[in-house]
Amino acid sequence: MPVLERLIDADAFLDMQHLPEYRDNEYELIQGEMVKMTAPGFAHGELAGEICYYLRQYAKKHKLGRVAVESGLRSAFDPALVLRPDVSFTRHARAPQPGDRGLNAVMPDLAVEIASPSDTLSAMREKAALYLRNGARLVWLVILDEERVEAHSSAGEFQSLGISDALTGGDVLPGFRLDLGRLFDL
């Protein structure tokens, strides 16, 4: 279970990341509380790499936007929220400039969260709702153990996709398609 620290805002959170006791740990800021993230396993990292690879190839080919892994993103609406999606896509018009080292003050258009062993589905769905309330348009929740993905959209649409289905990018990544059988065949 994540360890909660203390109430702060995104600016204080960013400043604290430079302190020795926080430097080697990964945190998110949710409702002003620093939440220590558990270290993901190899399968989690491998799957994040695969998703990043497919998204990046598609986004570059179609000149749609930028893809990142484990990037801290702060909310433009909530000063006490900083999230670190496992993978994110942000269209060019909203993405930080190349070389920008600060926290992007906008949620990604697409956030991908991959379940860690300590994650519950209800907690993951709550995080998806946070992304959507703060400007994300699409969230993919990847449940590795079940070889399943939940797609949540800002329009309120929900899909539960299994290994025989294809994941699509909707209006966020028009034309993007990834067969889940291919994704989970690691």
Side-chain angles (χ1 to χ4, degrees):
M1 191 69 184
V3 176
L4 301 180
E5 296 291 327
R6 61 186 176 104
L7 294 178
I8 59 173
D9 67 11
D11 292 326
F13 174 76
L14 183 57
D15 290 341
M16 292 178 74
Q17 298 298 296
H18 302 291
L19 298 174
E21 62 266 33
Y22 297 105
R23 193 173 298 134
D24 296 328
N25 294 300
E26 294 186 3
Y27 289 87
E28 289 183 318
L29 184 67
I30 299 175
Q31 296 178 339
E33 296 183 76
M34 288 183 67
V35 180
K36 186 175 181 179
M37 307 308 293
T38 57
F42 185 83
H44 182 283
E46 186 177 35
L47 190 58
E50 284 289 303
I51 293 168
C52 180
Y53 170 80
Y54 291 118
L55 287 175
R56 187 170 172 82
Q57 292 298 318
Y58 191 83
K60 283 189 128 201
K61 178 180 179 182
H62 298 281
K63 298 179 171 85
L64 294 173
R66 298 180 66 197
V67 178
V69 175
E70 291 286 336
S71 295
L73 303 167
R74 65 193 292 173
S75 170
F77 308 108
D78 182 349
L81 181 67
V82 177
L83 299 173
R84 298 173 62 115
D86 293 309
V87 182
S88 63
F89 163 78
T90 308
R91 67 183 186 269
H92 283 302
R94 301 176 67 239
Q97 297 301 309
D100 181 3
R101 296 182 182 268
L103 291 177
N104 190 12
V106 63
M107 286 292 119
D109 292 288
L110 166 65
V112 181
E113 289 287 342
I114 302 168
S116 295
S118 62
D119 290 333
T120 65
L121 187 54
S122 63
M124 290 183 71
R125 287 176 176 160
E126 286 175 24
K127 188 181 268 188
L130 271 177
Y131 281 114
L132 295 170
R133 279 197 310 269
N134 284 278
R137 295 170 45 209
L138 183 61
V139 179
W140 293 341
L141 302 178
V142 182
I143 300 96
L144 182 58
D145 292 345
E146 298 177 15
E147 295 184 330
R148 186 171 72 83
V149 176
E150 287 189 2
H152 300 258
S153 79
S154 58
E157 297 168 350
F158 168 81
Q159 290 181 305
S160 181
L161 305 166
I163 198 152
S164 61
D165 297 316
L167 190 57
T168 62
D171 63 352
V172 174
L173 287 160
F176 178 83
R177 180 182 169 87
L178 176 58
D179 291 328
L180 291 182
R182 183 175 175 187
L183 178 64
F184 290 117
D185 186 29
L186 300 176

